[in-house]
Amino acid sequence: MYKFAPSIVVAGIAAALMGCQDNGPQKEKVTIEKNPYPSTYKPVPSQSTLITNATVLTGTGEKIEQGDVFIVDGKIKQVGKDLSVTADITIEAEGKWVTPGIIDVHSHLGAYPSPSVESHSDGNEMINPNTSQVWVEHSVWPQDPGFNRAREGGITTLQILPGSANLFGGRGVTLKNVPAPTMQAMKFPDAPYGLKMACGENPKRVYGSKGVAPYTRMGNMAGYREAWIEAGEYKRAWEQYEAEYAAGLNPDAPKRDIKFDTLRGVLDGEILIHNHCYKAEEMAMMIDLSKEFGYHAGTFHHGIEAYKIADLLGENGNCAALWPDWWGFKMEAYDMVQENVAIVDAVKNSCAIVHSDSDTTIQRLNHEAAKVMNTANQSGFNINEQHAIKWITSNAAKSLGIQDKTGSLEQGKQADVVIWNTNPFSVYSRAEQVFVDGGKVYDRHDEKYQAVSDFMLGQK
């Protein structure tokens, strides 16, 4: 692990003293470009669109029978009944259902694309327990046909995460699910970056088998703490440099380190944590870790034992992205209950999410949510469709820090919309039309809106 020598804080103090002695003109200030690979996303052309007479689930807990959705300039203009408006396009949707676009907070599409061959597997930089310097967006292959398949299932936004071999796996990226030749053309404008972290078996197995730390869970925790200590020194060194420069002094800038750029972004509240973590006691320790070093623990992914600490997650404002029925595939994933999502969802200030972590289940995330609703209601919960849709729309948007832009059908939000042939929680449901920012990107009955990749081999 990189160490500051002798200490970046000491170096910063030395630089400050030198700066105080320098009475000449100030050198050009050193700044860090925080967005060197900016989004070039442009919405597909759209016309004003009125969807009428549908059953509308708004993503805010509301269900409107015979409801209308009015889209203008790529935004939701109105939602209600019997809207008196004129649109370029009117879609009669009687018998159909309308929801916000589906959001998957945990995907590896593009980084582990199909065809699944070694030369395309670019999602896990397994060379060091801390690879905060890698950004998964630099591995994303936009021609992955999995993006098309996910769009056919109503997925309009998804977060691509690096893998879970390392304590710090690198930055994730949030994408609009639109056909595009470059990653930047899919990149969700102004969405915060995520930092992938991982608890438990994976990092200790990957590195312990090599005879290096971490070898145990206590080694995992030591690795996190050492990294955050160094990240704090890095942050303070840059803040000192910026303060002294603003005061008219002439300090030398600290040495740049892109690993600690990412961790500093977390400490500054600009980058959100997404933590692969199964066990209750480990999630609780990660919350304590975040309090020790002054950041928010963010969203726990996979969270097989989240139900045991549902109150703690709610009190601390953590989202939990969970499967309905994946469990038992390794020791830390054994103590599962199929009401997990519902129990997490039931507490005050909850943020329960259904995620995929799969190139196939992302194609039917609505059915994954339906499994949870069905199982929970059989056990005595009383969950309806207008509530359950939040698990794959508005709660997911909250986890990604984009809840002010998408995730619900509210005035002013981006018009990411799905028209379903029937109740999306039915096993017979299919997305018929999908809109991103008001532009149609998929139509089950019109080949013009069915993107085709040159690489369909192996696609499921």
Side-chain angles (χ1 to χ4, degrees):
M1 182 173 291
Y2 179 82
K3 297 288 185 183
F4 298 107
S7 162
I8 201 160
V9 174
V10 174
I13 294 172
L17 292 174
M18 291 176 64
C20 292
Q21 297 167 357
D22 186 349
N23 295 320
Q26 277 191 309
K27 295 175 286 191
E28 184 177 356
K29 185 180 180 184
V30 177
T31 58
I32 296 175
E33 171 56 71
K34 295 184 178 180
N35 190 25
Y37 308 94
S39 171
T40 60
Y41 166 77
K42 295 185 184 305
V44 299
S46 65
Q47 297 174 287
S48 62
T49 303
L50 176 64
I51 306 169
T52 66
N53 295 317
T55 300
V56 179
L57 303 179
T58 63
T60 62
E62 187 177 10
K63 178 180 181 181
I64 306 172
E65 302 285 359
Q66 298 293 305
D68 302 339
V69 177
F70 184 38
I71 300 169
V72 178
D73 294 332
K75 300 287 179 61
I76 303 295
K77 183 71 173 179
Q78 283 183 265
V79 179
K81 293 174 69 73
D82 301 322
L83 299 184
S84 181
V85 298
T86 301
D88 295 325
I89 300 171
T90 298
I91 300 172
E92 170 55 51
E94 185 170 7
K96 303 182 190 302
W97 289 54
V98 174
T99 69
I102 307 304
I103 300 172
D104 189 0
V105 302
H106 194 122
S107 175
H108 300 297
L109 291 181
Y112 285 120
S114 296
S116 180
V117 295
E118 185 177 357
S119 61
H120 280 177
S121 296
D122 295 320
N124 223 339
E125 188 75 7
M126 295 187 289
I127 51 94
N128 191 286
N130 184 355
T131 56
S132 302
Q133 71 272 26
V134 304
W135 300 16
V136 76
E137 66 188 53
H138 299 144
S139 285
V140 169
W141 182 47
Q143 290 188 75
D144 181 359
F147 288 116
N148 301 337
R149 288 286 186 255
R151 193 160 49 252
E152 293 169 10
I155 300 292
T156 56
T157 300
L158 66 172
Q159 177 176 232
I160 311 301
L161 289 167
S164 54
N166 303 339
L167 301 176
F168 300 89
R171 292 198 195 193
V173 65
T174 299
L175 302 178
K176 290 271 193 180
N177 193 12
V178 294
T182 67
M183 173 279 297
Q184 293 94 325
M186 301 176 72
K187 201 169 183 178
F188 196 117
D190 300 322
Y193 277 109
L195 171 62
K196 175 70 174 291
M197 295 179 65
C199 299
E201 291 185 21
N202 286 14
K204 81 184 189 77
R205 170 175 50 81
V206 169
Y207 294 98
S209 65
K210 298 177 182 178
V212 299
Y215 192 78
T216 62
R217 282 185 163 84
M218 60 185 171
N220 286 351
M221 285 298 292
Y224 303 132
R225 299 181 77 207
E226 288 173 351
W228 287 120
I229 288 169
E230 291 187 277
E233 289 187 352
Y234 186 75
K235 170 179 160 67
R236 286 189 291 275
W238 274 97
E239 289 174 343
Q240 181 174 336
Y241 166 75
E242 290 159 1
E244 290 172 354
Y245 196 92
L249 303 178
N250 211 0
D252 291 325
K255 181 181 179 182
R256 178 86 182 274
D257 188 317
I258 57 174
K259 178 189 300 180
F260 292 109
D261 282 350
T262 293
L263 297 186
R264 180 191 174 187
V266 174
L267 296 176
D268 286 339
E270 298 172 349
I271 296 176
L272 306 177
I273 295 288
H274 291 275
N275 200 333
H276 159 122
C277 213
Y278 291 85
K279 292 167 66 67
E281 74 275 13
E282 287 189 278
M283 287 184 269
M285 283 190 290
M286 298 305 285
I287 290 173
D288 284 347
L289 178 75
S290 71
K291 292 177 178 176
E292 180 181 3
F293 292 100
Y295 64 91
H296 191 265
T299 298
F300 290 105
H301 293 239
H302 309 337
I304 291 288
E305 296 185 9
Y307 65 95
K308 297 179 180 178
I309 55 165
D311 288 341
L312 177 61
L313 296 174
E315 290 166 7
N316 198 55
N318 295 109
C319 292
L322 311 168
W323 293 297
D325 52 8
W326 270 18
W327 64 280
F329 45 88
K330 56 181 174 178
M331 192 66 202
E332 66 185 1
Y334 260 91
D335 205 1
M336 167 75 170
V337 297
Q338 293 189 349
E339 296 82 4
N340 193 17
V341 174
I343 295 171
V344 170
D345 180 72
V347 303
K348 184 180 178 181
N349 198 33
S350 67
C351 178
I353 298 164
V354 175
H355 70 342
S356 80
D357 190 19
S358 163
D359 59 351
T360 53
T361 55
I362 193 175
Q363 300 170 22
R364 42 188 175 273
L365 208 53
N366 54 313
H367 294 160
E368 295 293 286
K371 290 180 190 175
V372 176
M373 185 170 66
N374 179 63
T375 303
N377 286 343
Q378 286 184 346
S379 299
F381 288 82
N382 183 24
I383 298 170
N384 54 32
E385 295 102 338
Q386 55 265 41
H387 185 80
I389 195 70
K390 296 166 66 174
W391 300 336
I392 51 176
T393 58
S394 51
N395 284 3
K398 179 181 178 182
S399 163
L400 300 180
I402 53 175
Q403 68 271 31
D404 60 330
K405 301 178 178 66
T406 191
S408 59
L409 303 180
E410 296 179 275
Q411 186 177 23
K413 292 277 187 78
Q414 296 171 358
D416 301 336
V417 179
V418 183
I419 302 176
W420 305 88
N421 64 329
T422 188
N423 184 335
F425 296 98
S426 162
V427 72
Y428 298 108
S429 62
R430 297 289 183 271
E432 288 199 338
Q433 297 186 54
V434 180
F435 300 82
V436 174
D437 285 307
K440 188 190 293 188
V441 294
Y442 175 70
D443 190 322
R444 182 169 294 276
H445 304 297
D446 189 340
E447 290 186 355
K448 293 198 304 291
Y449 298 97
Q450 297 174 9
V452 176
S453 169
D454 292 335
F455 297 90
M456 294 301 292
L457 181 66
Q459 182 61 31
K460 294 170 277 187

